[in-house]
């Protein structure tokens, strides 16, 4: 079983409006509602790839119930979310029909009480005993200590479970110091962590700070991987048009899938690129187009990096 | 008991953001969640004024549960909402901290099935037997016939229960033809109904179309009342600054309160103006400031209109 942790789960709403104008009133013509938060998205993609996956983190209130109801129908996915008194946050993506652009509104998330955090830590340790890998994903809700990921990484490492960390800012900085197996920052997150805007230099710097492997996601330019076994650059065959929401989560899912099935790095990167691109190509955010995925597997270029 | 009908109830969310910019990502710093929809707001104000009130209409899904949970703590208010399979809509008011302006996003509401509509009609008739007045408020959700209010007005009139109608567009036009006791259109709704932008002429025209009494709400200029007993103009002592959300619903509550306690028209209008202004002055949308309300009662000017 692969375990994904989403401390700040979300009910993701997508609203379609004619044209978003500040200070006006808008009729929403279409509402799409789905469980969200990075680790939840990663879990859904892993399940679609045929893995057994368990999703943990927090869920509460009516929005938390909606998240859990949405997950209940996903075959291969086990809901191990810890109930909390506060309500799971909503995120709202307002899609402008006119321009196709998206405006994002993100609620901060519920306040997590110390007792709820303690309950989660027990649950997490218990779940790790059956896990072949764990992914720690996304932002921290209020009340969770900023060094939370560092502690979760140490627990996983002490139990011999490989850890992937996908977050940003101070939680990433503190997490890296606890020596996670893989981090997957984008160019901005990597620059914030290391102070360097040069991807090669920045990935090396991130490794010196504690990450065993750094997979830098360079958007449409693909991935740059710096691992104990070598360095690779993986690039898609061409620019992919569509909705990039969830593309990073799909890359994380592919990296975890490759980790537990012991694929060599170039193949893991190929899968990550193809699955990301297939997610951009899918009409609904966070889904992936299987034909695009399979078609791209033979067309991703992977070269050793200097 | 006063009955209020809200066929398209809502979970009203108020989001505070630094400054709303289309196509950017925003952290919401504060989320306020409360039961909404015009008739629900009217019911809450009536309960605060000391009336026994029953709220009916439709509620469904997690959002419907949140609406019902929010109503459960309101003393004097009975929840008689009819459960439906679809989810109650959300409305989102995004308040820009920088400018103080509000951007509104309104979901359309759930599809109401014919069997659900039939269940509501039975419930409505049953509730009318204990009602001293009924208010029919707001928009119609998908699936409810556009002539719905006309039917509800006829049922109430056949049972001798006075009816106030507060809606707009085609549902207002059809409703007026069924001869409601009171309608409370704003200037735009009145112009749309009658084709006239002159308030005096338009209120007379609306009466000829079937409304016994027309209370035209002229925003900061107060109310113009055309009743079988005479015509009055009621104006607040000065411009009131604040959040106008819910001010119209408070005026409806005051008109219903005056109706069931048999106040003369000038006093009903005074209450309506004072309660509206006290709602604009309250910090949270849809609440009212009791000191402002009581202070204004002596300062509203009511004159007979030509």
């Amino acid at each position: 079983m692969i375990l994904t942790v989403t401390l700040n789960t979300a009910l993701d709403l997508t609203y379609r409006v004619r044209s978003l104008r500040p200070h006006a009133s808008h009729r929403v013509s279409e509402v799409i509602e789905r469980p969200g938060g990075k680790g939840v998205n990663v879990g859904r993609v892993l399940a679609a790839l045929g893995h057994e996956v368990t999703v943990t983190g927090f869920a509460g209130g009516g929005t938390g119930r909606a998240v859990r109801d949405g997950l209940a129908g996903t075959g291969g996915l086990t809901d191990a979310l810890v109930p909390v008194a506060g309500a799971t946050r909503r995120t709202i993506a307002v899609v402008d029909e006119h321009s196709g652009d998206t405006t994002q509104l993100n609620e901060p998330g519920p306040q997590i009480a110390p007792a709820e955090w303690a309950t989660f830590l027990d649950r997490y340790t218990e779940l790790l005993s059956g896990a072949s890998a764990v992914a720690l994903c996304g932002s921290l809700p209020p009340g969770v200590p900023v060094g939370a990921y560092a502690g979760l990484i140490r627990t996983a490492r002490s139990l011999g479970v490989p850890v992937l960390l996908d977050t940003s800012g101070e939680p990433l900085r503190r997490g890296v110091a606890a020596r996670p197996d893989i981090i997957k920052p984008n160019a901005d997150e990597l620059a914030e962590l290391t102070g360097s805007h040069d991807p090669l230099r920045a990935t090396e710097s991130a490794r010196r700070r504690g990450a065993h492997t750094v997979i830098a996601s360079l958007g449409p330019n693909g991935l740059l991987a710096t691992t104990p076994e070598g360095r690779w650059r993986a690039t898609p065959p061409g620019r992919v048009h569509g909705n990039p929401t969830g593309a990073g989560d799909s890359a994380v899912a592919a990296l975890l899938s490759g980790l537990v099935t012991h694929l060599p790095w170039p193949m893991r990167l190929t899968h990550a690129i193809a699955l990301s691109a297939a997610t951009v190509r899918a009409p609904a955010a966070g889904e992936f187009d299987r034909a695009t995925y399979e078609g791209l597997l033979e067309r991703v270029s992977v070269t050793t990096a200097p």
Side-chain angles (χ1 to χ4, degrees), chain A residues 1-7 38-43 46 53-57 120 124 128 131-138 149 152-153 156 161-167 180-184 248-249 251-257 259-260:
Chain A
M1 170 270 279
I2 299 173
L3 180 63
T4 76
V5 173
T6 317
L7 296 174
K38 278 172 185 281
V40 168
N41 297 339
V42 170
L46 281 169
V53 61
T54 298
V55 167
T56 189
F120 169 78
Y124 173 71
L128 278 176
S132 53
V134 59
L136 309 174
C137 303
Y149 283 138
L152 299 183
I153 290 164
V161 180
V163 196
L164 183 152
L165 175 64
D166 185 13
T167 186
D181 295 272
I182 305 176
I183 63 172
K184 194 214 63 65
D249 302 331
V252 168
L255 292 172
L256 287 167
S257 173
L259 173 71
V260 300

Short mmCIF file of all heavy atoms in Angstrom, two decimals, chain A residues 1-7 38-43 46 53-57 120 124 128 131-138 149 152-153 156 161-167 180-184 248-249 251-257 259-260:
data_model
loop_
_atom_site.label_atom_id
_atom_site.label_comp_id
_atom_site.label_asym_id
_atom_site.label_seq_id
_atom_site.Cartn_x
_atom_site.Cartn_y
_atom_site.Cartn_z
N MET A 1 0.84 -1.20 0.00
CA MET A 1 0.00 0.00 0.00
C MET A 1 0.88 1.25 0.00
O MET A 1 1.89 1.31 0.68
CB MET A 1 -0.90 -0.06 1.25
CG MET A 1 -1.68 1.18 1.56
SD MET A 1 -0.76 2.33 2.64
CE MET A 1 -1.02 1.66 4.28
N ILE A 2 0.48 2.24 -0.83
CA ILE A 2 1.16 3.54 -0.81
C ILE A 2 0.31 4.48 0.04
O ILE A 2 -0.91 4.52 -0.10
CB ILE A 2 1.33 4.10 -2.24
CG1 ILE A 2 2.19 3.14 -3.09
CG2 ILE A 2 1.96 5.49 -2.20
CD1 ILE A 2 2.28 3.53 -4.57
N LEU A 3 0.97 5.22 0.93
CA LEU A 3 0.25 6.14 1.82
C LEU A 3 0.46 7.57 1.33
O LEU A 3 1.60 7.97 1.05
CB LEU A 3 0.80 5.97 3.24
CG LEU A 3 0.20 6.85 4.35
CD1 LEU A 3 -1.28 6.55 4.55
CD2 LEU A 3 0.97 6.64 5.66
N THR A 4 -0.62 8.34 1.21
CA THR A 4 -0.45 9.78 0.94
C THR A 4 -1.05 10.57 2.09
O THR A 4 -2.09 10.20 2.63
CB THR A 4 -1.08 10.24 -0.40
OG1 THR A 4 -2.50 10.33 -0.25
CG2 THR A 4 -0.74 9.31 -1.56
N VAL A 5 -0.35 11.64 2.47
CA VAL A 5 -0.77 12.48 3.59
C VAL A 5 -1.17 13.86 3.04
O VAL A 5 -0.38 14.51 2.34
CB VAL A 5 0.39 12.64 4.60
CG1 VAL A 5 0.02 13.65 5.69
CG2 VAL A 5 0.73 11.28 5.21
N THR A 6 -2.39 14.28 3.36
CA THR A 6 -2.87 15.61 2.97
C THR A 6 -3.41 16.27 4.23
O THR A 6 -4.56 16.03 4.62
CB THR A 6 -3.99 15.51 1.92
OG1 THR A 6 -3.64 14.53 0.94
CG2 THR A 6 -4.22 16.86 1.23
N LEU A 7 -2.58 17.07 4.90
CA LEU A 7 -3.02 17.67 6.17
C LEU A 7 -4.09 18.73 5.91
O LEU A 7 -4.96 18.95 6.72
CB LEU A 7 -1.83 18.24 6.92
CG LEU A 7 -0.81 17.16 7.34
CD1 LEU A 7 0.43 17.80 7.95
CD2 LEU A 7 -1.43 16.16 8.32
N LYS A 38 -3.38 18.18 -2.56
CA LYS A 38 -2.39 17.48 -3.38
C LYS A 38 -2.35 15.97 -3.13
O LYS A 38 -2.37 15.17 -4.07
CB LYS A 38 -1.00 18.05 -3.10
CG LYS A 38 -0.67 19.33 -3.85
CD LYS A 38 0.67 19.89 -3.32
CE LYS A 38 0.99 21.22 -3.93
NZ LYS A 38 1.54 21.10 -5.29
N GLY A 39 -2.29 15.56 -1.87
CA GLY A 39 -2.15 14.14 -1.56
C GLY A 39 -3.37 13.33 -1.97
O GLY A 39 -3.27 12.15 -2.33
N VAL A 40 -4.53 13.96 -1.91
CA VAL A 40 -5.77 13.30 -2.34
C VAL A 40 -5.72 13.08 -3.85
O VAL A 40 -6.06 12.00 -4.36
CB VAL A 40 -7.00 14.14 -1.92
CG1 VAL A 40 -8.27 13.64 -2.60
CG2 VAL A 40 -7.15 14.13 -0.40
N ASN A 41 -5.26 14.11 -4.59
CA ASN A 41 -5.13 13.96 -6.04
C ASN A 41 -4.12 12.87 -6.40
O ASN A 41 -4.36 12.06 -7.29
CB ASN A 41 -4.67 15.29 -6.66
CG ASN A 41 -5.69 16.40 -6.46
OD1 ASN A 41 -6.86 16.13 -6.20
ND2 ASN A 41 -5.24 17.64 -6.54
N VAL A 42 -2.99 12.87 -5.69
CA VAL A 42 -1.97 11.84 -5.94
C VAL A 42 -2.57 10.46 -5.70
O VAL A 42 -2.38 9.53 -6.50
CB VAL A 42 -0.75 12.06 -5.00
CG1 VAL A 42 0.21 10.87 -5.06
CG2 VAL A 42 -0.02 13.36 -5.35
N GLY A 43 -3.34 10.33 -4.61
CA GLY A 43 -3.96 9.05 -4.27
C GLY A 43 -4.92 8.58 -5.35
O GLY A 43 -4.93 7.39 -5.73
N LEU A 46 -2.88 7.35 -8.33
CA LEU A 46 -2.27 6.05 -8.01
C LEU A 46 -3.30 4.93 -8.12
O LEU A 46 -3.02 3.85 -8.66
CB LEU A 46 -1.66 6.07 -6.61
CG LEU A 46 -0.31 6.77 -6.49
CD1 LEU A 46 0.06 6.96 -5.02
CD2 LEU A 46 0.79 5.97 -7.21
N VAL A 53 -3.92 2.27 -2.44
CA VAL A 53 -3.46 3.51 -1.84
C VAL A 53 -4.35 3.86 -0.64
O VAL A 53 -5.55 3.56 -0.64
CB VAL A 53 -3.43 4.65 -2.90
CG1 VAL A 53 -4.80 4.91 -3.46
CG2 VAL A 53 -2.84 5.93 -2.34
N THR A 54 -3.71 4.42 0.38
CA THR A 54 -4.46 4.89 1.55
C THR A 54 -4.21 6.38 1.70
O THR A 54 -3.07 6.84 1.60
CB THR A 54 -4.01 4.14 2.82
OG1 THR A 54 -4.31 2.75 2.65
CG2 THR A 54 -4.74 4.66 4.06
N VAL A 55 -5.29 7.12 1.90
CA VAL A 55 -5.22 8.57 1.99
C VAL A 55 -5.47 8.96 3.44
O VAL A 55 -6.49 8.58 4.02
CB VAL A 55 -6.30 9.19 1.07
CG1 VAL A 55 -6.50 10.66 1.35
CG2 VAL A 55 -5.93 8.96 -0.40
N THR A 56 -4.53 9.71 4.05
CA THR A 56 -4.80 10.21 5.39
C THR A 56 -4.55 11.71 5.46
O THR A 56 -4.15 12.33 4.45
CB THR A 56 -4.01 9.43 6.47
OG1 THR A 56 -4.49 9.85 7.76
CG2 THR A 56 -2.51 9.67 6.38
N GLY A 57 -4.82 12.29 6.63
CA GLY A 57 -4.80 13.74 6.81
C GLY A 57 -6.03 14.07 7.65
O GLY A 57 -6.48 13.23 8.43
N PHE A 120 -3.68 12.26 14.91
CA PHE A 120 -3.15 12.02 13.57
C PHE A 120 -1.80 11.31 13.65
O PHE A 120 -1.54 10.36 12.90
CB PHE A 120 -3.00 13.32 12.77
CG PHE A 120 -2.21 13.11 11.52
CD1 PHE A 120 -2.80 12.53 10.41
CD2 PHE A 120 -0.85 13.43 11.47
CE1 PHE A 120 -2.07 12.27 9.26
CE2 PHE A 120 -0.12 13.17 10.33
CZ PHE A 120 -0.72 12.59 9.21
N TYR A 124 -0.92 7.93 11.77
CA TYR A 124 0.15 7.94 10.75
C TYR A 124 1.15 6.80 11.01
O TYR A 124 1.48 6.03 10.10
CB TYR A 124 0.82 9.32 10.80
CG TYR A 124 2.05 9.47 9.93
CD1 TYR A 124 1.96 9.52 8.55
CD2 TYR A 124 3.31 9.60 10.52
CE1 TYR A 124 3.09 9.69 7.76
CE2 TYR A 124 4.44 9.78 9.74
CZ TYR A 124 4.33 9.83 8.35
OH TYR A 124 5.45 10.00 7.58
N LEU A 128 1.87 3.57 8.61
CA LEU A 128 3.20 3.36 8.00
C LEU A 128 3.60 1.89 8.04
O LEU A 128 4.35 1.42 7.17
CB LEU A 128 4.25 4.19 8.74
CG LEU A 128 4.37 5.67 8.36
CD1 LEU A 128 5.40 6.34 9.27
CD2 LEU A 128 4.77 5.84 6.89
N ALA A 131 2.86 0.37 4.80
CA ALA A 131 3.12 1.19 3.61
C ALA A 131 4.45 0.86 2.95
O ALA A 131 5.46 0.66 3.64
CB ALA A 131 3.08 2.67 3.99
N SER A 132 4.45 0.83 1.62
CA SER A 132 5.70 0.65 0.86
C SER A 132 6.35 1.99 0.54
O SER A 132 7.53 2.05 0.19
CB SER A 132 5.41 -0.11 -0.42
OG SER A 132 4.37 0.53 -1.14
N ALA A 133 5.60 3.08 0.64
CA ALA A 133 6.13 4.43 0.43
C ALA A 133 5.09 5.40 0.97
O ALA A 133 3.91 5.06 1.09
CB ALA A 133 6.38 4.70 -1.06
N VAL A 134 5.55 6.63 1.29
CA VAL A 134 4.62 7.64 1.77
C VAL A 134 4.93 8.97 1.09
O VAL A 134 6.10 9.32 0.88
CB VAL A 134 4.67 7.77 3.31
CG1 VAL A 134 6.05 8.13 3.83
CG2 VAL A 134 3.66 8.83 3.82
N ALA A 135 3.86 9.70 0.72
CA ALA A 135 4.02 11.05 0.15
C ALA A 135 3.38 12.05 1.10
O ALA A 135 2.24 11.85 1.54
CB ALA A 135 3.35 11.11 -1.22
N LEU A 136 4.12 13.11 1.43
CA LEU A 136 3.63 14.18 2.30
C LEU A 136 3.39 15.39 1.41
O LEU A 136 4.33 15.92 0.81
CB LEU A 136 4.68 14.50 3.37
CG LEU A 136 5.23 13.29 4.14
CD1 LEU A 136 6.36 13.73 5.06
CD2 LEU A 136 4.12 12.61 4.94
N CYS A 137 2.13 15.83 1.33
CA CYS A 137 1.78 16.76 0.25
C CYS A 137 1.04 17.99 0.70
O CYS A 137 0.05 17.92 1.43
CB CYS A 137 0.90 16.04 -0.77
SG CYS A 137 1.65 14.56 -1.47
N GLY A 138 1.51 19.14 0.22
CA GLY A 138 0.73 20.38 0.30
C GLY A 138 0.99 21.22 1.53
O GLY A 138 1.94 21.00 2.29
N TYR A 149 6.32 18.39 8.92
CA TYR A 149 6.80 17.43 7.92
C TYR A 149 8.14 16.82 8.34
O TYR A 149 8.41 15.65 8.06
CB TYR A 149 6.90 18.08 6.54
CG TYR A 149 5.57 18.23 5.85
CD1 TYR A 149 5.25 19.39 5.15
CD2 TYR A 149 4.63 17.20 5.87
CE1 TYR A 149 4.03 19.53 4.50
CE2 TYR A 149 3.41 17.34 5.22
CZ TYR A 149 3.11 18.49 4.53
OH TYR A 149 1.91 18.62 3.89
N LEU A 152 7.33 13.97 10.56
CA LEU A 152 6.72 12.85 9.83
C LEU A 152 7.77 12.11 9.00
O LEU A 152 7.72 10.88 8.84
CB LEU A 152 5.59 13.35 8.92
CG LEU A 152 4.40 14.05 9.62
CD1 LEU A 152 3.33 14.43 8.60
CD2 LEU A 152 3.81 13.18 10.72
N ILE A 153 8.75 12.86 8.47
CA ILE A 153 9.83 12.24 7.68
C ILE A 153 10.69 11.37 8.59
O ILE A 153 11.02 10.22 8.25
CB ILE A 153 10.68 13.33 6.98
CG1 ILE A 153 9.86 14.00 5.87
CG2 ILE A 153 11.99 12.75 6.43
CD1 ILE A 153 10.42 15.32 5.36
N ALA A 156 8.91 8.10 9.39
CA ALA A 156 8.89 7.18 8.24
C ALA A 156 10.26 6.55 8.05
O ALA A 156 10.39 5.33 7.85
CB ALA A 156 8.46 7.92 6.97
N VAL A 161 10.41 3.36 5.71
CA VAL A 161 9.48 3.64 4.61
C VAL A 161 9.99 4.85 3.83
O VAL A 161 10.18 5.92 4.42
CB VAL A 161 8.05 3.93 5.14
CG1 VAL A 161 7.09 4.23 3.99
CG2 VAL A 161 7.55 2.77 6.00
N PRO A 162 10.25 4.71 2.52
CA PRO A 162 10.73 5.86 1.75
C PRO A 162 9.68 6.99 1.70
O PRO A 162 8.49 6.72 1.60
CB PRO A 162 10.98 5.29 0.35
CG PRO A 162 10.38 3.94 0.31
CD PRO A 162 10.16 3.48 1.72
N VAL A 163 10.18 8.23 1.76
CA VAL A 163 9.30 9.41 1.86
C VAL A 163 9.52 10.37 0.70
O VAL A 163 10.66 10.78 0.43
CB VAL A 163 9.63 10.25 3.12
CG1 VAL A 163 8.48 11.21 3.41
CG2 VAL A 163 9.97 9.40 4.30
N LEU A 164 8.42 10.80 0.08
CA LEU A 164 8.46 11.89 -0.90
C LEU A 164 7.79 13.10 -0.26
O LEU A 164 6.70 12.98 0.31
CB LEU A 164 7.74 11.47 -2.18
CG LEU A 164 7.76 12.48 -3.34
CD1 LEU A 164 7.67 11.74 -4.68
CD2 LEU A 164 6.65 13.51 -3.26
N LEU A 165 8.43 14.27 -0.36
CA LEU A 165 7.87 15.50 0.21
C LEU A 165 7.56 16.48 -0.92
O LEU A 165 8.43 16.79 -1.73
CB LEU A 165 8.89 16.12 1.18
CG LEU A 165 8.51 17.49 1.79
CD1 LEU A 165 7.27 17.38 2.67
CD2 LEU A 165 9.69 18.06 2.59
N ASP A 166 6.30 16.96 -0.97
CA ASP A 166 5.90 17.93 -2.00
C ASP A 166 5.19 19.10 -1.32
O ASP A 166 3.98 19.09 -1.14
CB ASP A 166 4.99 17.26 -3.03
CG ASP A 166 4.66 18.22 -4.20
OD1 ASP A 166 5.33 19.27 -4.31
OD2 ASP A 166 3.75 17.90 -4.97
N THR A 167 5.98 20.09 -0.90
CA THR A 167 5.40 21.27 -0.26
C THR A 167 6.27 22.47 -0.62
O THR A 167 7.12 22.37 -1.52
CB THR A 167 5.26 21.04 1.26
OG1 THR A 167 4.55 22.15 1.84
CG2 THR A 167 6.61 20.91 1.94
N PRO A 180 14.47 13.75 3.54
CA PRO A 180 13.49 12.93 2.80
C PRO A 180 14.16 12.25 1.61
O PRO A 180 15.19 12.72 1.12
CB PRO A 180 12.46 13.95 2.32
CG PRO A 180 13.23 15.23 2.21
CD PRO A 180 14.23 15.20 3.34
N ASP A 181 13.58 11.16 1.13
CA ASP A 181 14.15 10.44 -0.01
C ASP A 181 14.02 11.25 -1.30
O ASP A 181 14.95 11.27 -2.11
CB ASP A 181 13.47 9.07 -0.16
CG ASP A 181 13.78 8.20 1.03
OD1 ASP A 181 14.82 7.50 0.99
OD2 ASP A 181 13.05 8.28 2.05
N ILE A 182 12.85 11.88 -1.50
CA ILE A 182 12.61 12.63 -2.73
C ILE A 182 11.88 13.93 -2.39
O ILE A 182 10.95 13.93 -1.57
CB ILE A 182 11.71 11.82 -3.72
CG1 ILE A 182 12.31 10.43 -4.00
CG2 ILE A 182 11.48 12.59 -5.01
CD1 ILE A 182 11.43 9.55 -4.88
N ILE A 183 12.29 15.03 -3.02
CA ILE A 183 11.45 16.23 -3.02
C ILE A 183 11.15 16.58 -4.48
O ILE A 183 11.93 16.21 -5.37
CB ILE A 183 12.09 17.44 -2.28
CG1 ILE A 183 13.38 17.90 -2.97
CG2 ILE A 183 12.33 17.11 -0.80
CD1 ILE A 183 13.94 19.21 -2.39
N LYS A 184 10.02 17.22 -4.72
CA LYS A 184 9.63 17.55 -6.11
C LYS A 184 9.22 19.02 -6.19
O LYS A 184 8.07 19.35 -6.43
CB LYS A 184 8.48 16.65 -6.58
CG LYS A 184 8.24 16.68 -8.08
CD LYS A 184 6.79 16.52 -8.45
CE LYS A 184 5.86 17.57 -7.99
NZ LYS A 184 5.99 18.93 -8.47
N GLY A 248 1.25 18.46 -11.54
CA GLY A 248 2.32 18.18 -10.58
C GLY A 248 1.97 16.99 -9.70
O GLY A 248 2.84 16.17 -9.36
N ASP A 249 0.70 16.87 -9.32
CA ASP A 249 0.27 15.75 -8.49
C ASP A 249 0.39 14.44 -9.26
O ASP A 249 0.73 13.39 -8.70
CB ASP A 249 -1.17 15.96 -8.01
CG ASP A 249 -1.31 17.27 -7.23
OD1 ASP A 249 -0.32 17.70 -6.61
OD2 ASP A 249 -2.41 17.86 -7.25
N ALA A 251 2.61 13.85 -11.58
CA ALA A 251 4.04 13.53 -11.61
C ALA A 251 4.46 12.85 -10.32
O ALA A 251 5.20 11.86 -10.33
CB ALA A 251 4.86 14.82 -11.84
N VAL A 252 3.96 13.34 -9.19
CA VAL A 252 4.26 12.70 -7.89
C VAL A 252 3.75 11.26 -7.88
O VAL A 252 4.46 10.34 -7.44
CB VAL A 252 3.64 13.52 -6.72
CG1 VAL A 252 3.70 12.73 -5.42
CG2 VAL A 252 4.36 14.86 -6.57
N ALA A 253 2.54 11.06 -8.39
CA ALA A 253 1.97 9.71 -8.43
C ALA A 253 2.87 8.78 -9.26
O ALA A 253 3.16 7.64 -8.85
CB ALA A 253 0.56 9.74 -9.01
N ALA A 254 3.35 9.25 -10.40
CA ALA A 254 4.21 8.43 -11.26
C ALA A 254 5.53 8.12 -10.56
O ALA A 254 6.05 6.99 -10.66
CB ALA A 254 4.47 9.14 -12.59
N LEU A 255 6.09 9.10 -9.85
CA LEU A 255 7.36 8.88 -9.15
C LEU A 255 7.19 7.83 -8.05
O LEU A 255 8.06 6.98 -7.84
CB LEU A 255 7.88 10.20 -8.56
CG LEU A 255 8.33 11.25 -9.59
CD1 LEU A 255 8.63 12.58 -8.91
CD2 LEU A 255 9.54 10.75 -10.38
N LEU A 256 6.06 7.88 -7.34
CA LEU A 256 5.80 6.89 -6.28
C LEU A 256 5.58 5.51 -6.88
O LEU A 256 6.09 4.51 -6.37
CB LEU A 256 4.54 7.28 -5.49
CG LEU A 256 4.68 8.47 -4.54
CD1 LEU A 256 3.30 8.92 -4.08
CD2 LEU A 256 5.54 8.10 -3.33
N SER A 257 4.82 5.48 -7.98
CA SER A 257 4.56 4.21 -8.66
C SER A 257 5.89 3.57 -9.10
O SER A 257 6.12 2.38 -8.90
CB SER A 257 3.65 4.48 -9.86
OG SER A 257 3.49 3.32 -10.65
N LEU A 259 8.81 4.18 -7.82
CA LEU A 259 9.59 3.84 -6.63
C LEU A 259 9.22 2.46 -6.10
O LEU A 259 10.10 1.62 -5.87
CB LEU A 259 9.32 4.91 -5.56
CG LEU A 259 9.89 4.69 -4.16
CD1 LEU A 259 11.40 4.87 -4.16
CD2 LEU A 259 9.25 5.67 -3.16
N VAL A 260 7.92 2.19 -5.95
CA VAL A 260 7.52 0.93 -5.33
C VAL A 260 7.66 -0.25 -6.29
O VAL A 260 7.76 -1.39 -5.86
CB VAL A 260 6.08 0.97 -4.74
CG1 VAL A 260 5.97 2.05 -3.67
CG2 VAL A 260 5.02 1.17 -5.82
#
